[in-house]
mmCIF file with all atom_site columns, all heavy atoms in Angstrom:
data_model
loop_
_atom_site.group_PDB
_atom_site.id
_atom_site.type_symbol
_atom_site.label_atom_id
_atom_site.label_alt_id
_atom_site.label_comp_id
_atom_site.label_asym_id
_atom_site.label_entity_id
_atom_site.label_seq_id
_atom_site.pdbx_PDB_ins_code
_atom_site.Cartn_x
_atom_site.Cartn_y
_atom_site.Cartn_z
_atom_site.occupancy
_atom_site.B_iso_or_equiv
_atom_site.pdbx_formal_charge
_atom_site.auth_seq_id
_atom_site.auth_comp_id
_atom_site.auth_asym_id
_atom_site.auth_atom_id
_atom_site.pdbx_PDB_model_num
ATOM 1  N N   . ASP H 1 21 ? 3.046   0.999  -5.716  1.00 96.00 ? 21 ASP H N   1
ATOM 2  C CA  . ASP H 1 21 ? 3.997   1.990  -5.171  1.00 96.00 ? 21 ASP H CA  1
ATOM 3  C C   . ASP H 1 21 ? 4.385   3.041  -6.169  1.00 96.00 ? 21 ASP H C   1
ATOM 4  O O   . ASP H 1 21 ? 4.922   4.099  -5.806  1.00 96.00 ? 21 ASP H O   1
ATOM 5  C CB  . ASP H 1 21 ? 5.256   1.272  -4.667  1.00 96.00 ? 21 ASP H CB  1
ATOM 6  C CG  . ASP H 1 21 ? 5.011   0.470  -3.401  1.00 96.00 ? 21 ASP H CG  1
ATOM 7  O OD1 . ASP H 1 21 ? 4.072   0.800  -2.654  1.00 96.00 ? 21 ASP H OD1 1
ATOM 8  O OD2 . ASP H 1 21 ? 5.782   -0.494 -3.146  1.00 96.00 ? 21 ASP H OD2 1
ATOM 9  N N   . ASP H 1 22 ? 4.145   2.799  -7.454  1.00 97.00 ? 22 ASP H N   1
ATOM 10 C CA  . ASP H 1 22 ? 4.596   3.753  -8.469  1.00 97.00 ? 22 ASP H CA  1
ATOM 11 C C   . ASP H 1 22 ? 3.529   4.784  -8.846  1.00 97.00 ? 22 ASP H C   1
ATOM 12 O O   . ASP H 1 22 ? 3.731   5.602  -9.733  1.00 97.00 ? 22 ASP H O   1
ATOM 13 C CB  . ASP H 1 22 ? 5.028   3.002  -9.752  1.00 97.00 ? 22 ASP H CB  1
ATOM 14 C CG  . ASP H 1 22 ? 3.907   2.184  -10.362 1.00 97.00 ? 22 ASP H CG  1
ATOM 15 O OD1 . ASP H 1 22 ? 2.870   1.983  -9.705  1.00 97.00 ? 22 ASP H OD1 1
ATOM 16 O OD2 . ASP H 1 22 ? 4.063   1.728  -11.523 1.00 97.00 ? 22 ASP H OD2 1
ATOM 17 N N   . VAL H 1 23 ? 2.393   4.766  -8.161  1.00 97.00 ? 23 VAL H N   1
ATOM 18 C CA  . VAL H 1 23 ? 1.356   5.755  -8.435  1.00 97.00 ? 23 VAL H CA  1
ATOM 19 C C   . VAL H 1 23 ? 1.756   7.113  -7.858  1.00 97.00 ? 23 VAL H C   1
ATOM 20 O O   . VAL H 1 23 ? 2.223   7.193  -6.721  1.00 97.00 ? 23 VAL H O   1
ATOM 21 C CB  . VAL H 1 23 ? 0.012   5.325  -7.806  1.00 97.00 ? 23 VAL H CB  1
ATOM 22 C CG1 . VAL H 1 23 ? -1.057  6.422  -8.025  1.00 97.00 ? 23 VAL H CG1 1
ATOM 23 C CG2 . VAL H 1 23 ? -0.477  4.026  -8.462  1.00 97.00 ? 23 VAL H CG2 1
ATOM 24 N N   . VAL H 1 24 ? 1.601   8.156  -8.672  1.00 97.00 ? 24 VAL H N   1
ATOM 25 C CA  . VAL H 1 24 ? 1.993   9.503  -8.246  1.00 97.00 ? 24 VAL H CA  1
ATOM 26 C C   . VAL H 1 24 ? 0.752   10.365 -8.143  1.00 97.00 ? 24 VAL H C   1
ATOM 27 O O   . VAL H 1 24 ? -0.060  10.432 -9.071  1.00 97.00 ? 24 VAL H O   1
ATOM 28 C CB  . VAL H 1 24 ? 2.973   10.161 -9.234  1.00 97.00 ? 24 VAL H CB  1
ATOM 29 C CG1 . VAL H 1 24 ? 3.324   11.599 -8.808  1.00 97.00 ? 24 VAL H CG1 1
ATOM 30 C CG2 . VAL H 1 24 ? 4.246   9.319  -9.341  1.00 97.00 ? 24 VAL H CG2 1
ATOM 31 N N   . ARG H 1 25 ? 0.555   11.037 -7.021  1.00 97.00 ? 25 ARG H N   1
ATOM 32 C CA  . ARG H 1 25 ? -0.582  11.919 -6.781  1.00 97.00 ? 25 ARG H CA  1
ATOM 33 C C   . ARG H 1 25 ? -0.108  13.346 -6.548  1.00 97.00 ? 25 ARG H C   1
ATOM 34 O O   . ARG H 1 25 ? 0.467   13.653 -5.488  1.00 97.00 ? 25 ARG H O   1
ATOM 35 C CB  . ARG H 1 25 ? -1.368  11.434 -5.521  1.00 97.00 ? 25 ARG H CB  1
ATOM 36 C CG  . ARG H 1 25 ? -1.865  9.985  -5.604  1.00 97.00 ? 25 ARG H CG  1
ATOM 37 C CD  . ARG H 1 25 ? -2.908  9.810  -6.699  1.00 97.00 ? 25 ARG H CD  1
ATOM 38 N NE  . ARG H 1 25 ? -3.516  8.514  -6.647  1.00 97.00 ? 25 ARG H NE  1
ATOM 39 C CZ  . ARG H 1 25 ? -4.381  8.055  -7.566  1.00 97.00 ? 25 ARG H CZ  1
ATOM 40 N NH1 . ARG H 1 25 ? -4.743  8.858  -8.565  1.00 97.00 ? 25 ARG H NH1 1
ATOM 41 N NH2 . ARG H 1 25 ? -4.917  6.856  -7.477  1.00 97.00 ? 25 ARG H NH2 1
ATOM 42 N N   . THR H 1 26 ? -0.279  14.209 -7.556  1.00 96.00 ? 26 THR H N   1
ATOM 43 C CA  . THR H 1 26 ? 0.253   15.577 -7.451  1.00 96.00 ? 26 THR H CA  1
ATOM 44 C C   . THR H 1 26 ? -0.814  16.645 -7.730  1.00 96.00 ? 26 THR H C   1
ATOM 45 O O   . THR H 1 26 ? -0.512  17.835 -7.681  1.00 96.00 ? 26 THR H O   1
ATOM 46 C CB  . THR H 1 26 ? 1.393   15.763 -8.460  1.00 96.00 ? 26 THR H CB  1
ATOM 47 O OG1 . THR H 1 26 ? 0.911   15.492 -9.791  1.00 96.00 ? 26 THR H OG1 1
ATOM 48 C CG2 . THR H 1 26 ? 2.549   14.850 -8.137  1.00 96.00 ? 26 THR H CG2 1
ATOM 49 N N   . ALA H 1 27 ? -2.052  16.255 -8.042  1.00 96.00 ? 27 ALA H N   1
ATOM 50 C CA  . ALA H 1 27 ? -3.094  17.233 -8.378  1.00 96.00 ? 27 ALA H CA  1
ATOM 51 C C   . ALA H 1 27 ? -3.341  18.193 -7.204  1.00 96.00 ? 27 ALA H C   1
ATOM 52 O O   . ALA H 1 27 ? -3.327  17.812 -6.030  1.00 96.00 ? 27 ALA H O   1
ATOM 53 C CB  . ALA H 1 27 ? -4.384  16.532 -8.755  1.00 96.00 ? 27 ALA H CB  1
ATOM 54 N N   . VAL H 1 28 ? -3.568  19.459 -7.556  1.00 96.00 ? 28 VAL H N   1
ATOM 55 C CA  . VAL H 1 28 ? -3.807  20.493 -6.539  1.00 96.00 ? 28 VAL H CA  1
ATOM 56 C C   . VAL H 1 28 ? -5.266  20.912 -6.596  1.00 96.00 ? 28 VAL H C   1
ATOM 57 O O   . VAL H 1 28 ? -5.885  21.013 -7.641  1.00 96.00 ? 28 VAL H O   1
ATOM 58 C CB  . VAL H 1 28 ? -2.925  21.728 -6.837  1.00 96.00 ? 28 VAL H CB  1
ATOM 59 C CG1 . VAL H 1 28 ? -3.223  22.877 -5.882  1.00 96.00 ? 28 VAL H CG1 1
ATOM 60 C CG2 . VAL H 1 28 ? -1.444  21.330 -6.754  1.00 96.00 ? 28 VAL H CG2 1
ATOM 61 N N   . ASP H 1 29 ? -5.848  21.138 -5.434  1.00 96.00 ? 29 ASP H N   1
ATOM 62 C CA  . ASP H 1 29 ? -7.220  21.576 -5.323  1.00 96.00 ? 29 ASP H CA  1
ATOM 63 C C   . ASP H 1 29 ? -7.324  23.070 -5.736  1.00 96.00 ? 29 ASP H C   1
ATOM 64 O O   . ASP H 1 29 ? -6.793  23.922 -5.028  1.00 96.00 ? 29 ASP H O   1
ATOM 65 C CB  . ASP H 1 29 ? -7.705  21.385 -3.904  1.00 96.00 ? 29 ASP H CB  1
ATOM 66 C CG  . ASP H 1 29 ? -9.173  21.746 -3.699  1.00 96.00 ? 29 ASP H CG  1
ATOM 67 O OD1 . ASP H 1 29 ? -9.865  22.057 -4.703  1.00 96.00 ? 29 ASP H OD1 1
ATOM 68 O OD2 . ASP H 1 29 ? -9.652  21.760 -2.518  1.00 96.00 ? 29 ASP H OD2 1
ATOM 69 N N   . PRO H 1 30 ? -7.989  23.382 -6.869  1.00 94.00 ? 30 PRO H N   1
ATOM 70 C CA  . PRO H 1 30 ? -8.016  24.761 -7.342  1.00 94.00 ? 30 PRO H CA  1
ATOM 71 C C   . PRO H 1 30 ? -9.133  25.597 -6.769  1.00 94.00 ? 30 PRO H C   1
ATOM 72 O O   . PRO H 1 30 ? -9.261  26.785 -7.090  1.00 94.00 ? 30 PRO H O   1
ATOM 73 C CB  . PRO H 1 30 ? -8.204  24.569 -8.843  1.00 94.00 ? 30 PRO H CB  1
ATOM 74 C CG  . PRO H 1 30 ? -9.068  23.363 -8.960  1.00 94.00 ? 30 PRO H CG  1
ATOM 75 C CD  . PRO H 1 30 ? -8.642  22.450 -7.802  1.00 94.00 ? 30 PRO H CD  1
ATOM 76 N N   . ARG H 1 31 ? -9.972  25.045 -5.942  1.00 95.00 ? 31 ARG H N   1
ATOM 77 C CA  . ARG H 1 31 ? -11.179 25.765 -5.504  1.00 95.00 ? 31 ARG H CA  1
ATOM 78 C C   . ARG H 1 31 ? -10.860 26.904 -4.575  1.00 95.00 ? 31 ARG H C   1
ATOM 79 O O   . ARG H 1 31 ? -9.947  26.803 -3.697  1.00 95.00 ? 31 ARG H O   1
ATOM 80 C CB  . ARG H 1 31 ? -12.140 24.788 -4.781  1.00 95.00 ? 31 ARG H CB  1
ATOM 81 C CG  . ARG H 1 31 ? -12.684 23.679 -5.652  1.00 95.00 ? 31 ARG H CG  1
ATOM 82 C CD  . ARG H 1 31 ? -13.455 22.648 -4.815  1.00 95.00 ? 31 ARG H CD  1
ATOM 83 N NE  . ARG H 1 31 ? -12.624 21.986 -3.867  1.00 95.00 ? 31 ARG H NE  1
ATOM 84 C CZ  . ARG H 1 31 ? -13.077 21.157 -2.915  1.00 95.00 ? 31 ARG H CZ  1
ATOM 85 N NH1 . ARG H 1 31 ? -14.384 20.906 -2.806  1.00 95.00 ? 31 ARG H NH1 1
ATOM 86 N NH2 . ARG H 1 31 ? -12.254 20.568 -2.070  1.00 95.00 ? 31 ARG H NH2 1
ATOM 87 N N   . PRO H 1 32 ? -11.539 28.004 -4.657  1.00 93.00 ? 32 PRO H N   1
ATOM 88 C CA  . PRO H 1 32 ? -11.300 29.175 -3.776  1.00 93.00 ? 32 PRO H CA  1
ATOM 89 C C   . PRO H 1 32 ? -12.042 28.993 -2.454  1.00 93.00 ? 32 PRO H C   1
ATOM 90 O O   . PRO H 1 32 ? -12.948 29.749 -2.111  1.00 93.00 ? 32 PRO H O   1
ATOM 91 C CB  . PRO H 1 32 ? -11.867 30.323 -4.575  1.00 93.00 ? 32 PRO H CB  1
ATOM 92 C CG  . PRO H 1 32 ? -13.003 29.730 -5.349  1.00 93.00 ? 32 PRO H CG  1
ATOM 93 C CD  . PRO H 1 32 ? -12.558 28.333 -5.718  1.00 93.00 ? 32 PRO H CD  1
#
Side-chain angles (χ1 to χ4, degrees):
D21 289 336
D22 60 347
V23 176
V24 178
R25 303 294 188 186
T26 58
V28 176
D29 183 7
R31 297 173 297 172

